[in-house]
Structures are given as structure tokens and as C-alpha cells.
Amino acid sequence: MIAGEMEVELCPQGTFVERIRAGGYGLGGVLTPTGLGTIVAEGKRVIEVNGKEYLLETPLRADFALIKAFQCDYMGNVQYLLDGRNFNQAMAMAADSVIVETDHIVPVGVIPPDMVATPFVCVDYIVERGEQNGR
């Protein structure tokens, strides 16, 4: 990074997840005042809306997303616990291939429908975390 061998983009965490969410939903980007007048704004478009300036933050997508889950059923419906809901859902929507590492694989129907945070259509691979993997 310092030697110039790698390009690094500074991005506030909230803006980062919104860019990922925009990529997952096919949006053209998000507008945010966060970063205006700082190094974060360098090279980015500033757009004025109703007299207020915003940075245009472009969407982010990935080839792969590695998702950590509490449990997943055999179809690939995923349930997260606590802070697992913060970024995993958005990451699963914005990746071409999604790999879920789960603590438990359960039969279809065990996870109540209102607890499914990422549906099976977004999941490509399921890996169960076993005792031999550090637990």
C-alpha cells in the first residue's frame, strides 16, 4: 500500500455496507454526506440535492462471499445470530457465489420462516463447521 504496489480505497463502514447493498439490489449507487471534505471524497462525484451536497458512492459486488451463520437448512435458508445480521445479508446479495459456513445444518422447516435472513436462492455452497475446525 505505502510502496504503491496495492491500491487502497478508504470507505467509512456504514458507507461500505450501503455500497454492498446497492450492488446486491442493482442500484447505481448511494448518496451520502459522510466523507465530504476529507480524503474519502478524493476523485468522487459530488451531487447537490435540494441545496445539500452528497458524495456519489458507487455499488460494490464480489465474485465470492464467505458467510458465517448460526444455522442453515439443507436447502440453504440461513439464520444468523446477533451481529451476524449486520453485513452477511448484504454480502450474500452482492456476490456471484455465496459460501455459507454454519454451526448447524438442520432439516428444512426447523428454521421458522420469519427467522430466515438469507433465502436459499442466494446460497451456492454450505459448509458445516465441525468440532475439528476449532471448537
Side-chain angles (χ1 to χ4, degrees):
M1 180 170 91
I2 294 172
E5 298 172 5
M6 178 188 317
E7 183 178 325
V8 176
E9 178 183 354
L10 296 176
C11 186
Q13 186 174 16
T15 302
F16 181 60
V17 74
E18 287 305 316
R19 290 177 68 186
I20 294 167
R21 193 179 327 279
Y25 286 105
L27 302 176
V30 293
L31 297 177
T32 179
T34 305
L36 279 171
T38 71
I39 191 170
V40 171
E42 289 181 11
K44 296 182 181 174
R45 283 183 52 191
V46 176
I47 296 175
E48 186 177 314
V49 178
N50 295 328
K52 189 171 178 181
E53 290 187 334
Y54 297 90
L55 289 178
L56 172 62
E57 294 284 0
T58 55
L60 291 174
R61 289 199 50 85
D63 294 329
F64 291 93
L66 307 174
I67 305 298
K68 171 69 176 84
F70 165 63
Q71 63 184 3
C72 181
D73 68 23
Y74 291 107
M75 291 285 295
N77 294 301
V78 179
Q79 179 182 9
Y80 306 110
L81 286 183
L82 305 171
D83 63 347
R85 292 187 83 124
N86 288 354
F87 295 100
N88 284 327
Q89 291 173 279
M91 296 295 282
M93 292 292 295
D96 296 331
S97 293
V98 176
I99 303 167
V100 174
E101 179 191 41
T102 183
D103 292 336
H104 311 281
I105 299 178
V106 297
V108 174
V110 169
I111 303 172
D114 62 326
M115 297 304 293
V116 172
T118 299
F120 72 93
V121 296
C122 297
V123 175
D124 297 294
Y125 304 97
I126 304 167
V127 178
E128 186 172 24
R129 182 178 176 169
E131 296 296 322
Q132 69 278 11
N133 293 331
R135 295 221 294 138

